[in-house]
Amino acid sequence: MTYKIAIIGGDGIGPEVVAEAMKVVDATGVAYEPVAFDLGGARYLRDGTILPAADLEALRGFDAIMLGAVGTPDVPPGVIERGLLLALRFELDLYINLRPFLVGPSALNDGVDMMVIRENTEGTYAGEGGFMRKGTPHEVATQGSVNTRMGVERAVRYAFDLARSRERKHLTLVHKTNVLTFAGDLWQRAFDEVAAEYPDVDTAYHHVDAACIYFVQDPGRYDVIVTDNLFGDILTDLGGAVAGGIGRAASGNLNPARTGPSLFEPVHGSAPDIAGTATADPRAAIISAAMMLEFLGERAAATRVREAVAKSDHVTGSTSEVGDAIAASVQGEN
Ligand code: IPM
Ligand code: MN
């Protein structure tokens, strides 16, 4: 099987880290045909293109998409984020954003082994809202949170299935039910109803502000977490910070129904300040590539990549030197 993989390097350090991720995929021997898509802030600045309909249609035909990072400081906020990245999440129905955090004991904590499942198509990201009297002293801006029973339930079910497959079989719902009494109520009811179908999974509920304390002081209490889009966005940056740094934080934007390709990307952004300096840590992109291999069913290859990254703590050097060392380690295990 030769997989068709779309590559969106994007902006800043995006293309640099994706090159290393694909180098490591090469080392696994898994056969794939890459097709590069020139999309992102740089392309937009060049010719005004964000996501052509033809590109979106073409992307639907791939087995997976590997993305580096998109966004440039000279493009107003939201243009590329909404027009490209969120458009892909919504159009391809990538309803699960899976973000694993796995690191051994450190000065910060006794080790972290948790998976955050962020609902990826709804909430405040849905784009509901607008302006009235914009630009006047009486202007109004609203930005609602959209929570459908279907959208919440499919995220919650995915989380229960994942928790069931893990040793600890523990799932925490994170929300803010004490203040967001409409959205939180729907989430809690959906969670409780699905929980009844999974008597073997232990559950907990934490408010998101309390979860921030636990992430820092006692992340070991978490196994699997499920939460809404915006809470998940914020919480997973914190997760990266307490679990090896944002240079290790990987993600899979998944369409578990497999009605189209899933998209894999590091959690970090395009880091324009260090672009071109060869200092970006490619590990987050490499772990994202391992998630892609896993989702494609290439379990053994995925495990080899993860193990090589885990053994690479001592490796220093440029972006490509780190990629070379991890690729060599993967190949050594062939
Ligand atoms: C992320 C990013 C995106 C998000 C941005 C770039 C739109 O921060 O993937 O976490 O907010 O989801
Ligand atoms: Mn984010």
Side-chain angles (χ1 to χ4, degrees):
M1 167 100 192
T2 300
Y3 298 104
K4 277 185 72 186
I5 300 184
I7 313 275
I8 305 175
D11 300 307
I13 62 170
E16 303 170 26
V17 296
V18 162
E20 301 314 310
M22 299 321 289
K23 184 191 283 177
V24 173
V25 173
D26 290 343
T28 65
V30 169
Y32 69 95
E33 181 200 322
V35 178
F37 285 77
D38 177 15
L39 297 169
R43 170 84 189 271
Y44 174 72
L45 288 174
R46 217 165 55 238
D47 66 9
T49 300
I50 304 177
L51 176 60
D55 280 5
L56 177 60
E57 280 322 300
L59 286 167
R60 290 187 199 280
F62 282 78
D63 293 307
I65 304 167
M66 187 73 210
L67 184 142
V70 292
T72 33
D74 13 13
V75 178
V79 174
I80 300 301
E81 290 87 343
R82 281 216 169 266
L84 178 55
L85 187 59
L86 299 188
L88 289 173
R89 288 179 184 169
F90 297 167
E91 289 293 336
L92 300 175
D93 206 18
L94 308 175
Y95 59 89
I96 298 296
N97 197 323
L98 180 64
R99 297 187 162 179
F101 299 96
L102 178 63
V103 74
S106 70
L108 289 177
N109 52 57
D110 298 332
V112 181
D113 181 3
M114 63 186 182
M115 297 262 203
V116 178
I117 289 157
R118 160 183 177 191
E119 197 291 319
N120 211 29
T121 56
E122 302 191 342
T124 42
Y125 278 67
E128 194 263 357
F131 290 109
M132 271 172 68
R133 304 189 289 259
K134 188 178 177 185
T136 74
H138 298 276
E139 80 173 305
V140 179
T142 65
Q143 191 112 38
S145 173
V146 176
N147 301 264
T148 71
R149 173 67 196 221
M150 179 279 296
V152 171
E153 189 169 326
R154 65 184 179 174
V156 165
R157 277 190 189 283
Y158 184 88
F160 271 101
D161 282 331
L162 179 64
R164 174 173 269 176
S165 75
R166 286 164 61 89
E167 205 185 310
R168 281 176 65 190
K169 303 194 194 319
H170 189 277
L171 176 63
T172 306
L173 169 65
V174 170
H175 209 281
K176 187 73 185 172
T177 55
N178 54 343
V179 173
L180 305 184
T181 49
F182 311 131
D185 189 72
L186 192 159
W187 271 85
Q188 183 78 65
R189 274 184 292 114
F191 186 84
D192 291 344
E193 282 170 34
V194 176
E197 297 172 34
Y198 293 79
D200 51 326
V201 176
D202 285 333
T203 61
Y205 168 80
H206 291 162
H207 293 318
V208 64
D209 45 352
C212 290
I213 298 177
Y214 298 139
F215 261 53
V216 173
Q217 294 188 345
D218 186 21
R221 70 168 64 213
Y222 292 117
D223 179 20
V224 180
I225 291 172
V226 64
T227 191
D228 97 332
N229 210 339
L230 182 59
F231 295 147
D233 174 51
I234 298 165
L235 212 49
T236 52
D237 268 20
L238 184 55
V242 300
I246 199 73
R248 301 276 176 119
S251 76
N253 295 262
L254 309 180
N255 172 337
R258 297 185 191 260
T259 56
S262 292
L263 181 154
F264 300 83
E265 54 166 342
V267 173
H268 64 66
S270 57
D273 51 326
I274 61 161
T277 63
T279 54
D281 189 338
R283 289 178 181 85
I286 295 171
I287 300 167
S288 303
M291 296 178 74
M292 174 177 76
L293 290 169
E294 172 110 36
F295 197 75
L296 290 171
E298 300 290 340
R299 288 227 168 75
T303 303
R304 266 161 47 215
V305 173
R306 280 200 201 95
E307 284 173 1
V309 173
K311 282 192 298 197
S312 75
D313 281 341
H314 65 284
V315 176
T316 52
S318 69
T319 305
S320 68
E321 283 165 348
V322 174
D324 285 343
I326 294 172
S329 165
V330 166
Q331 221 144 25
E333 288 167 40
N334 259 336

